[in-house]
Amino acid sequence: MVVILICMDSNLEIHFDYLSFTFPLGKDYINKANQVMYELCQLFNFDFENELHHQDYTFNNYNQEFIMGVNVRFRYGGEATKMKVVEVDAKGNEKEVVYYSAQLELKGSGCREIEAHGFNDYIALFRYILLDLKGRATRCDIAIDDKSGDTLTQSYFLKKIRALEFTSIWKGKGATPRFEISEGTTVYLGSDSSDRILCVYDKKAERIVRHENFEGDYWIRFEMRFFKQKAAELSYFILDNELDEIGAYACELLRGMIDLKKPSKKDTNKSRWESDATWLLFLNNVQKTKFSVSPKRFSNVERKMSWRDYSMTRMNLIFDLADAYCRDEHGNDWMDPTIARAVHEMEMMIHYFEERPLDANDLALINQYRFNHTMTLLSLDDVYKKMDEMKKRVQFLTDKFTFPF
């Protein structure tokens, strides 16, 4: 089991919340892409045969996209994504060549997912991408999570920001704080054109709005986002220091972005104001904080249902209001669109099962839920029988609740 590494002198946690890398694939780019996906699945503890899925859509000008697990994205190919690489021949001569590239993207959910699978060696990932594949980081987010508020509360931070009692690295548009009130109060510093952005927000409120579990009373996140060259610089520091000094470095990065100040009536130049004492105490705690990863865990049915409810409710509302289920793809007119939607979802499950039957991990997940709710456990034969029953249920509901003309 992965242990969360937190210094006893600090109530904070530091971890990655977004990682994006690009790297060249060489001449035989399709085989190289398949090899890299296999090796990444091995690194992240994914089943290459069953947890790697091709997607019909693509992003960022790539023409192929795969998902590892649920949240890890791998893209490759596309003329607009080619990379220039300097190679040295046998005689020591350098030449510039152009290859198709690939992108590995792990948003916060992707980082948490691989950690939940037992992955905890980010240095191995950086070494593999930067050294073995000769790639580079294009985005790297470091999150400082405060789950106590013992030193610096959100209300105190917001008060200082709204009073403009701070200095920052940003000039012009990026220097003006932007406030967003949706999932709690969020403060942004930096603009879309910046190579760095600071985002400070109420993570607990976000969890509540999204119906995600959080048992604590407080959770504020200081999220430092680094892009392009700044992300590359940060990635090489991480590789060189192996995260041993991440607390001190995160402290330096955060204070380099923003410094809360104690106002002075005698001097209008904020850069000469003293740093706020509460802020300095918070930074001291950041400096003592070690890198952390989430404990290994297995996804369960309740969490998947919670995610389904959050992600699908808006879409289902739109479909229902549009009466999208009143007439189905088979030409049937339904008396009740609610039943029509249920039948459509069952048909999709049957079709999916026929193409991708459930594996041992899926069955274990199902039986864990059934065991917790004192239900009989299922065998693989039971699953096939239930799918046959679902087909009969679809036919029964279709005959009963569609118009005969």
Side-chain angles (χ1 to χ4, degrees), residues 248-392:
Y249 194 53
C251 174
E252 178 184 339
L253 292 171
L254 181 58
R255 192 174 184 184
M257 287 183 168
I258 185 173
D259 193 21
L260 301 189
K261 296 291 188 175
K262 177 182 178 182
S264 172
K265 296 180 180 179
K266 299 179 181 179
D267 192 345
T268 57
N269 189 336
K270 292 182 185 180
S271 63
R272 292 195 290 262
W273 291 359
E274 294 180 10
S275 295
D276 179 80
T278 300
W279 175 244
L280 290 178
L281 185 57
F282 175 75
L283 290 174
N284 183 57
N285 287 339
V286 172
Q287 191 171 26
K288 296 183 292 184
T289 304
K290 302 295 184 182
F291 185 75
S292 64
V293 296
S294 302
K296 181 178 180 180
R297 56 181 169 79
F298 297 97
S299 59
N300 55 56
V301 171
E302 286 92 343
R303 285 197 305 106
K304 289 181 181 292
M305 290 174 67
S306 177
W307 176 88
R308 185 274 318 271
D309 291 343
Y310 171 74
S311 302
M312 300 297 294
T313 298
R314 178 182 177 84
M315 188 182 301
N316 285 333
L317 178 62
I318 291 171
F319 289 161
D320 278 357
L321 291 175
D323 287 334
Y325 293 104
C326 287
R327 185 177 180 85
D328 65 22
E329 61 272 25
H330 308 299
N332 296 315
D333 291 313
W334 287 83
M335 303 175 189
D336 187 336
T338 303
I339 297 176
R341 185 174 73 179
V343 169
H344 175 76
E345 290 175 354
M346 284 191 288
E347 286 181 329
M348 292 299 98
M349 284 190 283
I350 292 167
H351 179 68
Y352 184 93
F353 182 79
E354 289 174 345
E355 288 194 343
R356 299 175 182 170
L358 302 185
D359 58 23
N361 291 330
D362 297 320
L363 190 59
L365 180 68
I366 294 166
N367 280 331
Q368 183 61 56
Y369 180 85
R370 295 179 69 87
F371 176 80
N372 292 341
H373 292 78
T374 64
M375 293 186 283
T376 304
L377 302 188
L378 300 181
S379 66
L380 199 54
D381 287 340
D382 294 329
V383 172
Y384 279 95
K385 290 177 182 177
K386 284 187 172 291
M387 296 308 297
D388 289 336
E389 292 172 2
M390 188 179 294
K391 292 177 183 178
K392 294 177 181 178

Side-chain angles (χ1 to χ4, degrees), residues 3 9 11 13 15 70 95 147 162 198 227 288 307 375 377 380-381 390:
V3 178
D9 296 328
N11 291 318
E13 299 175 8
H15 53 82
V70 178
K95 64 174 182 177
K147 296 184 180 180
R162 288 191 172 113
L198 176 64
F227 305 92
K288 296 183 292 184
W307 176 88
M375 293 186 283
L377 302 188
L380 199 54
D381 287 340
M390 188 179 294

